[in-house]
Amino acid sequence: MRTVIAGGHGKIALRLEELLAGRGDDVAGLIRDPAQADDLAAAGAQAVVCDLESASVDEVAAHLDGADAAVFAAGAGPGSGAARKETVDRDAAIRFADAAERAGVRRFVVVSAMRVDQQPPADMDPVFAAYLRAKGAADADVRARDGLDWTILRPGRLTDDAPTGHVRLEGSTGRAEVPRADVAAVLLALLDEPRTAGMTLELISGGTPVAEAVAAAAAGGGAG
């Protein structure tokens, strides 16, 4: 299988690249900075320099040509202002979805966030509120598409702790932490489970092995 990951140098993306490459899959990561290419190579991934903020849909689609799946794991990141939440977390996600459809890549997985379907409270930090609105708009756009077999994953608060291999994966979990390495493992399992297409799932640490949690979610039950 060939998978193309937007935001290929992100912490979750690098872990997912290692998992995909480790089982013999072909994986490419889209990056803005050519200096990041060595890190992707170390993870077993092909680095593709492509700025999703400025590239055309056709340019992005060319990088997706021949792929079996696409994963959007990009983000403006901490320290960026409200404007880049819109150009990356919203617009780049929509552009990547447009490109996947144009390239004929149906399997499409999005790394999103919790609470993005809710109106941010008035006293929330305005930049974080802009982030939530941007992610919510991107998710809504993806969920409206018939041309993609999409799954949206909404992890809780991310940590760099060692993976536990046990999670809670449901339509609604409540807020809690989850290691990035476990998020990557769930993404891998979601890519392999076509029955999760059309699902929006929340993810936190829990008591169920990753494979079992994804199988339960695919069957419509969720697991914790």
Side-chain angles (χ1 to χ4, degrees):
M1 186 169 77
R2 177 172 173 79
T3 301
V4 177
I5 303 172
H9 194 256
K11 291 182 178 180
I12 292 173
L14 286 169
R15 289 170 171 83
L16 178 57
E17 288 156 6
E18 289 178 351
L19 293 174
L20 287 164
R23 70 178 192 180
D25 283 8
D26 184 12
V27 55
L30 304 187
I31 56 174
R32 289 165 51 97
D33 184 357
Q36 298 170 341
D38 287 347
D39 291 336
L40 270 72
Q46 173 194 0
V48 177
V49 179
C50 176
D51 185 348
L52 284 172
E53 287 184 271
S54 60
S56 69
V57 172
D58 284 340
E59 288 170 338
V60 181
H63 298 310
L64 285 162
D65 186 48
D68 301 291
V71 178
F72 186 82
S80 59
R84 291 206 67 227
K85 307 304 184 190
E86 295 178 356
T87 58
V88 179
D89 294 287
R90 183 191 65 195
D91 298 346
I94 293 171
R95 186 172 296 116
F96 195 57
D98 287 339
E101 286 194 322
R102 191 160 299 183
V105 181
R106 289 200 61 93
R107 192 70 178 111
F108 193 85
V109 178
V110 176
V111 182
S112 185
M114 292 185 176
R115 297 187 296 162
V116 302
D117 290 332
Q118 305 168 19
Q119 181 64 27
D123 59 350
M124 179 177 283
D125 172 74
V127 175
F128 191 66
Y131 166 76
L132 292 179
R133 284 193 291 267
K135 295 295 285 186
D139 285 3
D141 178 272
V142 169
R143 287 188 291 191
R145 295 175 184 259
D146 295 328
L148 297 176
D149 296 328
W150 55 264
T151 304
I152 294 173
L153 183 65
R154 294 175 170 175
R157 193 175 75 81
L158 300 169
T159 75
D160 290 322
D161 294 343
T164 69
H166 291 74
V167 297
R168 181 177 177 188
L169 180 70
E170 299 174 7
S172 178
T173 62
R175 287 187 284 167
E177 294 182 344
V178 62
R180 288 178 172 86
D182 283 334
V183 177
V186 169
L187 289 170
L188 182 74
L190 290 173
L191 287 169
D192 291 342
E193 181 45 270
R195 293 179 299 163
T196 60
M199 292 185 175
T200 301
L201 298 167
E202 293 188 351
L203 173 69
I204 57 175
S205 291
T208 305
V210 167
E212 292 180 21
V214 171

